[in-house]
Amino acid sequence: MIYACLNCLADEMNAFFKSRLKIHEDKVVVSAIVNQNGSIAVQGENKVLITLVNVVRDTNMKREGLSAAGLSANTAKPICVQLHLMISCYFSDSNYPEALRFLSFAIGFLQEKNVFDHTNTPRMDKDLEKLIFEMESVEPERLSNIWSVLGAKYMPSVLYKVRLIIYDSNKVSEYRPVVTGIAENNLQ
């Protein structure tokens, strides 16, 4: 469900960018910024990244129908979670103004459409009911800590909280990416 949420946002933002900026390529990708080994995780430059920063249980959200009635003793009760996402612009050094431009468009997009549901987002995964995006205000010290934890240098970015993710272990499915080719390994 987490992947479905981030992928839905990427698809919608790509459609928005293509429409508004008259571009043909996808600029938005769901990606870490840095791999575990410290190398850059993004393929290519001039991309807008959607990165999961944190997942927390949303104790403030009460949802009708999430009562234990009708659940067997072996069934876990669904929980509401919040996702904390970073939208960052990974552009070449000489393209810094373009990074700011894309960040502005990303913020504008989520200002115009801060709620995703099946009415305004028909391609949204059927297991997602509604997504509410809220920009987070982050103090410089916390922002510095986040970038340190991510293992990357600061780039133009904004943090969002996503609410109304209902995490139900009965609906979690395996994601298998499409195989696009076979890489040859030269063994010596």
Side-chain angles (χ1 to χ4, degrees), residues 33-88:
I33 298 168
V34 176
N35 290 319
Q36 292 296 321
N37 65 5
S39 63
I40 299 295
V42 185
Q43 300 296 317
E45 289 183 329
N46 304 328
K47 299 288 182 185
V48 176
L49 311 179
I50 299 173
T51 305
L52 179 66
V53 175
N54 197 14
V55 178
V56 296
R57 184 174 186 165
D58 192 342
T59 56
N60 295 325
M61 296 300 300
K62 301 293 183 206
R63 182 161 185 256
E64 295 176 28
L66 288 184
S67 66
L71 297 176
S72 70
N74 295 331
T75 304
K77 182 178 172 184
I79 60 170
C80 296
V81 297
Q82 291 178 9
L83 304 180
H84 294 260
L85 307 179
M86 178 179 286
I87 298 173
S88 56

Side-chain angles (χ1 to χ4, degrees), residues 13 16-17 20-21 100-110:
M13 285 181 74
F16 177 80
F17 287 160
R20 288 282 173 95
L21 301 175
L100 298 178
R101 180 173 173 240
F102 271 88
L103 183 61
S104 295
F105 273 101
I107 293 169
F109 168 72
L110 285 170

Side-chain angles (χ1 to χ4, degrees), residues 89 91 107 153 168:
C89 298
F91 283 67
I107 293 169
K153 300 284 186 189
D168 184 350

Side-chain angles (χ1 to χ4, degrees), residues 116-134:
F116 290 26
D117 59 28
H118 292 281
T119 305
N120 67 9
T121 314
R123 297 179 302 191
M124 189 166 72
D125 188 287
K126 64 179 176 50
D127 290 332
L128 295 172
E129 214 173 286
K130 181 190 284 189
L131 304 172
I132 301 171
F133 291 84
E134 179 182 330

Side-chain angles (χ1 to χ4, degrees), residues 4-46:
C5 171
L6 274 62
N7 195 50
C8 177
L9 175 59
D11 288 346
E12 291 296 306
M13 285 181 74
N14 275 317
F16 177 80
F17 287 160
K18 287 175 182 177
S19 167
R20 288 282 173 95
L21 301 175
K22 308 297 184 224
I23 59 175
H24 302 290
E25 67 177 298
D26 285 345
K27 287 287 192 182
V28 183
V29 294
V30 175
S31 177
I33 298 168
V34 176
N35 290 319
Q36 292 296 321
N37 65 5
S39 63
I40 299 295
V42 185
Q43 300 296 317
E45 289 183 329
N46 304 328

